[in-house]
Amino acid sequence: MTSFSPALACGIDFGTSNSAVGWKRPGHPALLSLEDGKPTMPSAIFFHDEDAEVSYGRAALADYLAGYEGRLMRSMKNLLGSSLIDGHTEIRGRGVPFRTLLTHFIAQLRLRAQQAAGREFTSAVFGRPAYFVDGDPAADQQAQDTLGEIARSVGFTDIEFQYEPLAAAFDYESQISSEELVLVVDIGGGTSDFSLIRLGPSRAALPDRRADILAHGGVHIGGGDFDRHLNLHAFMPLLGLGSKLRSGKDVPSTQYLNLASWHTINFAYTNKAWEHLSYIRANAGERDKIDLLLSLVKERAGHWLSLQVEKAKIDLSETAAARADLERISAGLSLDLTRADLDDATAPLIERIENTVAALLRDADIDAGGIDTVFFTGGSSRVSQLRERISALLPDARSVEGDLFGSIGAGLALDAARKFG
């Protein structure tokens, strides 16, 4: 293959929140258009109850928010490495394996990529986090194997894997003109991953980059965890979390915890959960708050609330204050938030991320002053407290923001061209 030929393989960034497919073609953007001319697609599926229609990405979220009856699934990547991967969920009155849901979505990614490229893809490099599962190498390998099995089942015959922060590093490397020592900080929807790597034009074409990688690591904390903590800290107390039953005991937290995580929201809609909530209301000391919770569940608006929480997080990453409109739960209901609410809610998570980066730097035995650049990617890397804490670890390094949702896909495209030609 000459440098003027399109690559034979694509790179697939199956993300917790958003997904992308990259394909190296001279004179063209690295990312293929997957939905409405956009290079990313939310990792979401909506199964309509009234017919056999299935919608994906932005269309799935739009159908759910429009009030169609059905089942929304998001953050499906979190199933990899969890005990839920071998379980089932109810869709249209029957049990559907969670593996089948992932298969539906990966198949759709391949189909849309092929339609955009005008060719078939049977070879691909899939991105993966530093750890699908923290502290359990066997479970981590099983998660990768599961993703590989699903990819093969939809038509990929030759599959390689690449760590997502390394893929982002390759994208950054394509934009620089001299050698740099770079810390890649990738804060995705489900994980935070880091790579310390030497990058430069003279190294870009090397088939084996292991000698350039000084350290690599991660922790199973991502934007979804920021959302969850902000939800429980600031939103769910409006609905009774932290209040008391008339007996003086705390209102049980199970349903709040379910509603605060994308992949467990639907557990709050079962008949058993409704019976539990009815018992709580009958015994609540602040029944008005529990009534708001019941309204949310009755409307099946848990995913809608999660989107309001996510929007508040994004707003508070850029401004000092934000207002969340909660009219769907009750007329006139809103919540005013400040940057301090986000900082307080996410402080334990950011401390763990900071400690992970500090340990990585110690393991690499590199003086902080020798690192040239911190390259941020992933949507939640914009959280201001996180950037401040990491920048404090490396005060002499310059901060560069990549394509927050596209750097990994673009880097995987470069890696696919190297590995498959």
Side-chain angles (χ1 to χ4, degrees), residues 98-263:
F98 282 117
R99 284 176 185 256
T100 299
L101 301 181
L102 269 70
T103 302
H104 273 297
F105 190 78
I106 298 299
Q108 189 68 198
L109 278 182
R110 180 173 183 256
L111 174 64
R112 295 190 183 206
Q114 291 179 158
Q115 291 172 338
R119 55 149 295 169
E120 183 182 23
F121 289 117
T122 57
S123 302
V125 175
F126 275 75
R128 59 147 296 163
Y131 303 108
F132 282 107
V133 182
D134 292 342
D136 190 338
D140 183 78
Q141 184 61 49
Q142 182 60 47
Q144 178 176 297
D145 292 345
T146 299
L147 181 55
E149 291 165 6
I150 291 170
R152 290 182 181 88
S153 75
V154 304
F156 290 107
T157 56
D158 298 297
I159 300 166
E160 297 281 349
F161 289 92
Q162 182 57 271
Y163 291 113
E164 290 158 356
L166 290 182
F170 298 150
D171 179 48
Y172 177 62
E173 186 174 54
S174 70
Q175 307 166 37
I176 60 178
S177 57
S178 60
E179 186 170 307
E180 298 181 16
L181 180 55
V182 179
L183 174 67
V184 179
V185 176
D186 170 26
I187 312 296
T191 60
S192 295
D193 298 301
F194 315 98
S195 288
L196 186 59
I197 183 171
R198 296 191 187 281
L199 301 175
S202 63
R203 300 174 181 271
L206 295 174
D208 187 345
R209 301 299 298 274
R210 282 177 291 184
D212 293 334
I213 302 168
L214 280 68
H216 185 62
V219 62
H220 209 266
I221 295 172
D225 299 288
F226 293 163
D227 296 346
R228 180 173 181 270
H229 277 239
L230 180 60
N231 198 341
L232 294 170
H233 176 81
F235 287 76
M236 287 301 175
L238 286 176
L239 312 183
L241 180 63
S243 64
K244 301 288 186 181
L245 299 174
R246 291 200 305 269
S247 65
K249 294 181 179 180
D250 290 339
V251 166
S253 62
T254 301
Q255 306 308 332
Y256 299 101
L257 296 173
N258 284 338
L259 287 164
S261 296
W262 275 95
H263 60 292

Side-chain angles (χ1 to χ4, degrees), residues 355-421:
N355 290 340
T356 301
V357 173
L360 180 142
L361 296 175
R362 287 195 301 271
D363 292 344
D365 197 23
I366 295 290
D367 184 84
I371 298 175
D372 301 298
T373 304
V374 180
F375 182 70
F376 289 98
T377 189
S380 289
S381 69
R382 273 193 175 154
V383 172
S384 56
Q385 184 178 202
L386 182 143
R387 288 208 179 189
E388 290 166 5
R389 298 281 282 272
I390 292 179
S391 295
L393 291 174
L394 301 166
D396 298 326
R398 68 189 186 109
S399 294
V400 175
E401 182 179 288
D403 181 337
L404 297 185
F405 302 102
S407 285
I408 292 172
L412 290 171
L414 293 171
D415 201 40
R418 278 195 290 264
K419 289 178 174 175
F420 292 106

